[in-house]
């Protein structure tokens, strides 16, 4: 039996996904179909990890007012529930998926976390963290948790011996990098924002990735949407590209990729296998609303279709 993994989602969300022909901003839009489900980056990662066969625990902060759907999901998926509730409601994030595949995100504000609640959460998390070697720390921050506090939390988790896989954006990404997480997975837009310059080619992305590796981040994974992924680690850079997919919703593709890396690394797979797995679960994610790997054979078939190469 392999060791359990932990995912941390400080700012989860109920995702309200709607499908629409084309959004007309400023007028009435009729939505063809909709679904509301508990989500947020770390929770999505945990669901995929569970489907891959991992034992998984989830932690983070929920609003007490609408926590039940999350608690039910954790039970349904057999996820060990370390979430702490605070007064208020977890946010709703609206995802409008247009016929051409474009997704418009309306991410609402989440709960506000008070200083004493953050202290209690941190104490709990650091106690729990001792049981886990791989910890996924993913998503944005709720009000009351600063980018510096989030960075310090990552640093403390790593001081406890954990390997933190970090996926965030904006200020939380900028500060989080200072904690030198074991793995980071920005997408190319987030990385370009961080670098303050356009990163339009594989060469430009690779140069930034190698710079981050040299600064002490062991694994730099840059996701590139339908163009695939670039991964630099151990003095090597690799690229993987998925086949062309029929896209239903790209929401959660990045989380699926993080799950693939967390599972592959925790299982000691080689780089090519990890890239095949992570790319395949992400490619399957875009064919559905939400995330997950319902069918092992489908996953194996998709893994065989990923184009993987080590860059010279
Ligand atoms: N259209 C697509 N077809 C096949 N695979 C895709 C497609 N879009 C994304 N992927 C896979 O998913 C991975 C992650 O996607 P992306 O770079 O969009 O991450 P992200 O921006 O973090 O996603 P999100 O925040 O929506 O979860 C890509 O590296 C790729 O392997
Ligand atoms: O605001 P964050 O935390 O960066 O992102 C939140 C979110 O967009 O990420 C997931 C998809 O990756 C969704 O389930 C969720 O709504």
């Amino acid at each position: 039996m392999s060791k359990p993994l932990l995912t941390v989602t400080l700012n989860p969300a109920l995702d309200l996904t709607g499908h629409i022909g084309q959004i007309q901003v400023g007028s009435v839009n009729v939505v063809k179909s909709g679904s509301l489900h508990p989500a947020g980056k770390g929770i999505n990662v945990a669901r995929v990890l569970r489907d891959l066969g991992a034992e998984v625990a989830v932690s983070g902060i929920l609003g007490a007012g609408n926590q039940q759907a999350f608690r039910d999901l954790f039970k349904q998926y057999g996820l060990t529930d370390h979430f702490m509730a605070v007064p208020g409601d977890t946010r709703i994030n609206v995802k409008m998926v247009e016929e051409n595949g474009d997704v418009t995100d309306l991410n609402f504000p989440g709960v506000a976390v008070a200083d004493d609640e953050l202290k209690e959460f941190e104490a709990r998390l650091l106690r729990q963290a001792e049981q886990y070697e791989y910890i996924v720390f993913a998503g944005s921050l709720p009000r009351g948790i600063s980018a510096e506090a989030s960075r310090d939390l990552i640093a403390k988790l790593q001081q406890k011996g954990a390997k933190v896989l970090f996926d965030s954006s904006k200020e939380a990404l900028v500060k989080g990098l200072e904690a030198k997480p074991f793995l980071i997975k920005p997408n190319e837009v987030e990385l370009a924002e961080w670098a303050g310059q356009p990163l339009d080619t594989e060469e430009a992305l690779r140069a930034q990735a190698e710079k981050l590796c040299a600064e002490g981040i062991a694994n730099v994974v840059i996701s590139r949407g339908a163009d695939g992924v670039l991964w630099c680690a151990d003095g090597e850079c690799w690229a993987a590209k998925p086949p062309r997919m029929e896209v239903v919703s790209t929401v959660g593709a990045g989380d699926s990729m993080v799950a693939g890396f967390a599972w592959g690394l925790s299982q000691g797979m080689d780089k090519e296998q990890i890239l095949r797995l992570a790319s395949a679960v992400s490619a399957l994610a875009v064919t559905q609303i939400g995330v997950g790997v319902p069918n092992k054979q489908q996953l194996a078939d998709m893994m065989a279709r990923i184009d993987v190469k080590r860059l010279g």
Side-chain angles (χ1 to χ4, degrees):
M1 189 73 186
S2 57
K3 268 191 154 179
L5 293 96
L6 174 69
T7 76
V8 180
T9 317
L10 296 178
N11 200 16
L14 284 164
D15 279 359
L16 178 59
T17 308
H19 282 88
I20 193 163
Q22 194 188 2
I23 295 186
Q24 306 293 334
V25 177
S27 58
V28 174
N29 288 265
V30 177
V31 178
K32 290 185 196 152
S33 62
S35 90
L36 180 70
H37 63 270
K41 290 198 163 28
I43 293 173
N44 295 341
V45 172
R47 287 180 59 169
V48 177
L49 277 169
R50 194 79 186 112
D51 282 352
L52 290 173
E55 203 187 315
V56 193
V58 286
S59 173
I61 297 177
L62 287 172
N66 57 357
Q67 59 181 309
Q68 200 52 49
F70 289 89
R71 305 286 186 191
D72 290 348
L73 178 98
F74 302 154
K75 252 202 206 108
Q76 182 194 338
Y77 276 83
L79 302 167
T80 304
D81 181 0
H82 294 317
F83 265 85
M84 185 176 117
V86 300
D89 284 335
T90 296
R91 64 188 170 149
I92 292 180
N93 284 349
V94 179
K95 319 278 178 190
M96 294 310 304
V97 184
E98 290 177 75
E99 238 156 45
N100 66 1
D102 284 354
V103 181
T104 301
D105 288 67
L106 301 171
N107 289 2
F108 281 67
V111 294
V113 181
D115 285 351
D116 57 331
E117 290 164 346
L118 175 58
K119 270 203 195 93
E120 186 189 336
F121 174 74
E122 178 174 325
R124 281 197 204 183
L125 179 64
L126 293 177
R127 256 196 328 271
Q128 289 151 359
E130 281 160 12
Q131 305 164 52
Y132 307 99
E133 182 181 359
Y134 289 89
I135 300 181
V136 174
F137 196 97
S140 59
L141 304 172
R143 287 169 293 165
I145 303 187
S146 67
E148 288 80 4
S150 151
R151 170 199 61 200
D152 295 348
L153 210 44
I154 296 171
K156 285 176 193 166
L157 290 171
Q158 295 209 135
Q159 279 156 19
K160 292 237 164 218
K163 297 184 169 94
V164 173
L165 287 74
F166 176 56
D167 181 14
S168 194
S169 55
K170 303 195 168 62
E171 192 56 16
L173 170 65
V174 173
K175 290 289 166 201
L177 295 185
E178 293 173 7
K180 312 283 181 227
F182 172 71
L183 180 149
I184 59 168
K185 192 226 67 72
N187 65 32
E188 51 191 343
V189 176
E190 291 158 350
L191 193 74
E193 249 177 54
W194 167 82
Q197 64 184 83
L199 300 172
D200 299 334
T201 60
E202 189 173 87
E203 292 67 36
L205 289 168
R206 181 176 176 176
Q208 288 298 328
E210 287 177 331
K211 190 167 150 233
L212 285 160
C213 286
E215 287 170 9
I217 295 174
N219 295 275
V220 179
V221 177
I222 305 169
S223 66
R224 312 183 61 201
D227 288 335
V229 65
L230 178 76
W231 175 22
C232 295
D234 309 315
E236 301 170 6
C237 285
W238 291 68
K241 197 167 177 193
R244 210 182 151 72
M245 303 299 295
E246 203 57 54
V247 177
V248 173
S249 161
T250 53
V251 177
D255 307 332
S256 302
M257 173 142 282
V258 172
F261 270 87
W263 182 237
L265 289 164
S266 72
Q267 295 300 295
M269 291 179 192
D270 65 31
K271 289 195 172 60
E272 181 178 342
Q273 275 299 101
I274 292 175
L275 279 168
R276 283 191 188 285
L277 174 71
S279 301
V281 283
S282 313
L284 292 177
V286 306
T287 65
Q288 56 185 314
I289 294 176
V291 295
V293 187
N295 181 322
K296 285 273 155 71
Q297 188 54 49
Q298 223 182 347
L299 177 65
D301 294 346
M302 187 57 68
M303 284 175 69
R305 295 175 64 199
I306 306 294
D307 180 22
V308 182
K309 59 175 191 247
R310 182 171 167 187
L311 304 175

